Amino acid sequence: MTTNAQRTSGEWLESWDPENEETWDSHLAWRTLWVTTFALTLAFAAWFLPSALIPKLNPLGYSFSTTQLYWMAAMPGLSAGLFRLVWMVLPPILGTRKMVTLTTLLLVFSTLGWGVRVQEPTAPYWELMVLAFLAGIGGGAFSGFMPSTSYFFPRSKQGTALGLQAGLGNFGVSLVQLLTPYLIGFSWLALFGGSQTISMPGKEPQEVWYQNAAFIWIPLMVISAALAWTMLKSVPIKANIRQQFDIFGNTDTWLMTLLYIMTFGTFSGLAAQFGLLMANLYGIGNVDIVQGTGAEAQVLVDGYAVPDVVKYVFLGPLVGAGARVLFAPLTDRTGGAMWTLVSGVGLIGSIAFTIPALTPDTTSAATLEAGFDQFLWGMLAIFLFAGIGNASTFKQMPMIFERRQAGGVIGWTAAIAAFGPFFFGVGVTTLGPVAFYAIGIAWAAMCVVITWMRYARKGAPRPS
């Protein structure tokens, strides 16, 4: 039997119908998934590399204000949202092979820049903001990679396929934040540049090599680009930019955008700002807890052990990404709408649980430690329910829309939700954490109503 995959003309498949079980080439589909997922994981690592480095810039010798650091951490979210508006229209135009290859090579520029500029505290603020902006290319990739992968799978398997790709790709966030504290301690990895000295309250100055946290990803990016160029094909779904914009006449495009802001907007926003928020509430950024900087820093609350944020910051993205992977197969069995409903209700509860911990009680070490525990567990619960919703919404979209439109809606909703780190940073800075989290509860409540009325209840207009 001749499969669709065998009827090719160079890069482009001449025909492709994944709904036809007799001709669907599952081997090509899963190969595409694994190659693009590897590339997407590296893209997310490049996107969130600044979030792993920014909390340590001042201990490394920079002297930025809290507001400047929040804006710097928010910048990759702003640029990722803008880049996703571009990447969402690329799959039908460039095809999977060219898009994945070129995008992966673009990741090298910001990653290399951060590796150079953490070595000495001499970079001007505007230059680091440019590097933070370019890191957003890694976030922009999502709106191209996910729709192009959806073209390769039948609807019955898209929940699992897209959940695996997005979830494993999301692990790039946790991976870069988890590995950074370890990579910086290996002098033998530092083939380029010298060491730095970092000081934490109550601890001896430590010699580190922060460039390792960036440079380690560059060879993997080159390998990923080579794999994409040699192993990927492109599906012949053709549409110019104007044709792709017909999704905006569909009410469900806008409703699913609201739902994905609730899920991925929350995940990406918290992942980017988690470390800074923890430091400014319970760590070295809280002037009621720590006085001074560097080796002269003094802990003002007797008996309180100031947490090192790098030991915790990876946990949130890890939980969120893991939930997306684990719940994706369940959405193929039960549908996505029910789990989106669970996500919304869970977010309301977990955000409400976390809000009291956003105002640390500095009267004693015991109250601070109790507040920190509530903050940490509340944040992890938020990540959990956001991850569940990330899986379920991506099952809903291929069920609600026809194939070409589904790809466009996936790209569009992902683009808007990628502004999460930007809006989270701005919201926390301007409104304060408590008020901003209260808005999160209101948003989740609105999404619960939308999900129930439109998608989840018996007799819903668009059951999914």
Side-chain angles (χ1 to χ4, degrees):
M1 179 180 295
T2 301
T3 66
N4 284 324
Q6 290 171 322
R7 296 195 293 271
T8 64
S9 179
E11 171 192 349
W12 291 88
L13 298 168
E14 292 184 359
S15 61
W16 182 258
D17 181 12
E19 301 299 337
N20 187 337
E21 293 185 4
E22 294 184 358
T23 61
W24 178 54
D25 188 344
S26 62
H27 176 74
L28 174 60
W30 286 103
R31 185 177 73 196
T32 301
L33 175 72
W34 298 127
V35 172
T36 54
T37 297
F38 179 46
L40 186 61
T41 303
L42 295 174
F44 269 80
W47 185 18
F48 279 84
L49 177 63
S51 73
L53 299 178
I54 289 170
K56 293 298 184 182
L57 290 181
N58 284 352
L60 284 170
Y62 285 98
S63 56
F64 299 126
S65 68
T66 298
T67 300
Q68 285 179 311
L69 292 174
Y70 269 127
W71 274 101
M72 194 185 300
M75 183 54 66
L78 173 62
S79 61
L82 297 174
F83 284 128
R84 284 189 179 189
L85 294 175
V86 177
W87 258 257
M88 65 175 279
V89 301
L90 294 183
I93 296 173
L94 289 181
T96 301
R97 175 193 284 180
K98 290 189 182 72
M99 181 189 62
V100 175
T101 302
L102 294 176
T103 301
T104 306
L105 291 176
L106 286 174
L107 302 176
V108 173
F109 292 98
S110 65
T111 307
L112 178 63
W114 280 105
V116 171
R117 281 314 200 175
V118 294
Q119 296 183 52
E120 292 185 8
T122 57
Y125 183 68
W126 67 265
E127 185 176 332
L128 294 181
M129 287 291 278
V130 169
L131 290 176
F133 183 87
L134 292 176
I137 293 174
F142 188 88
S143 280
F145 288 20
M146 294 293 288
S148 70
T149 298
S150 73
Y151 298 156
F152 286 85
F153 287 87
R155 287 186 175 186
S156 62
K157 298 183 182 298
Q158 286 196 16
T160 298
L162 296 181
L164 285 172
Q165 180 164 62
L168 294 176
N170 290 167
F171 274 124
V173 180
S174 188
L175 200 60
V176 73
Q177 295 173 339
L178 170 64
L179 293 181
T180 293
Y182 300 99
L183 293 173
I184 63 174
F186 296 131
S187 60
W188 55 271
L189 277 178
L191 301 179
F192 305 99
S195 65
Q196 306 92 47
T197 300
I198 192 169
S199 300
M200 291 290 292
K203 298 181 180 179
E204 293 294 324
Q206 179 185 6
E207 186 178 19
V208 292
W209 293 264
Y210 257 89
Q211 65 268 33
N212 294 351
F215 290 160
I216 194 70
W217 303 107
I218 294 177
L220 297 176
M221 292 170 182
V222 175
I223 292 171
S224 177
L227 290 175
W229 186 254
T230 56
M231 298 182 68
L232 296 183
K233 296 288 186 181
S234 298
V235 173
I237 294 180
K238 297 283 190 173
N240 60 36
I241 294 176
R242 183 176 180 180
Q243 289 171 324
Q244 294 185 63
F245 282 178
D246 64 357
I247 61 174
F248 299 121
N250 191 323
T251 300
D252 290 297
T253 297
W254 302 104
L255 295 180
M256 290 306 302
T257 301
L258 297 177
L259 299 186
Y260 201 58
I261 289 172
M262 176 187 72
T263 62
F264 188 77
T266 298
F267 171 84
S268 62
L270 291 184
Q273 301 289 345
F274 191 19
L276 272 178
L277 190 62
M278 184 184 297
N280 290 330
L281 291 176
Y282 291 95
I284 59 175
N286 190 329
V287 296
D288 293 326
I289 296 175
V290 176
Q291 185 179 62
T293 59
E296 303 301 322
Q298 178 184 2
V299 180
L300 301 179
V301 182
D302 290 339
Y304 180 63
V306 179
D308 187 353
V309 298
V310 297
K311 294 181 179 179
Y312 298 95
V313 70
F314 74 93
L315 290 173
L318 180 65
V319 169
R324 190 167 197 167
V325 171
L326 293 175
F327 279 84
L330 293 178
T331 66
D332 273 337
R333 298 176 188 174
T334 62
M338 181 188 72
W339 289 107
T340 301
L341 201 64
V342 170
S343 171
V345 173
L347 283 171
I348 292 171
S350 54
I351 294 172
F353 175 82
T354 308
I355 284 179
L358 300 178
T359 309
D361 184 349
T362 59
T363 55
S364 69
T367 58
L368 270 176
E369 290 168 357
F372 176 76
D373 288 343
Q374 183 173 350
F375 169 78
L376 180 61
W377 286 109
M379 292 288 283
L380 294 182
I382 295 172
F383 275 108
L384 170 66
F385 288 109
I388 292 172
N390 286 336
S392 62
T393 50
F394 265 43
K395 173 60 178 180
Q396 287 181 263
M397 285 181 265
M399 302 301 294
I400 295 171
F401 303 92
E402 58 92 5
R403 182 171 297 277
R404 180 184 62 78
Q405 282 198 329
V409 174
I410 287 172
W412 163 257
T413 56
I416 300 304
F419 286 111
F422 174 72
F423 286 117
F424 193 96
V426 173
V428 168
T429 302
T430 58
L431 301 176
V434 173
F436 188 71
Y437 273 54
I439 293 174
I441 291 179
W443 191 281
M446 174 188 67
C447 290
V448 166
V449 173
I450 291 172
T451 303
W452 174 254
M453 296 300 297
R454 183 74 173 175
Y455 306 112
R457 65 183 173 90
K458 185 177 181 180
R462 299 303 299 269
S464 55

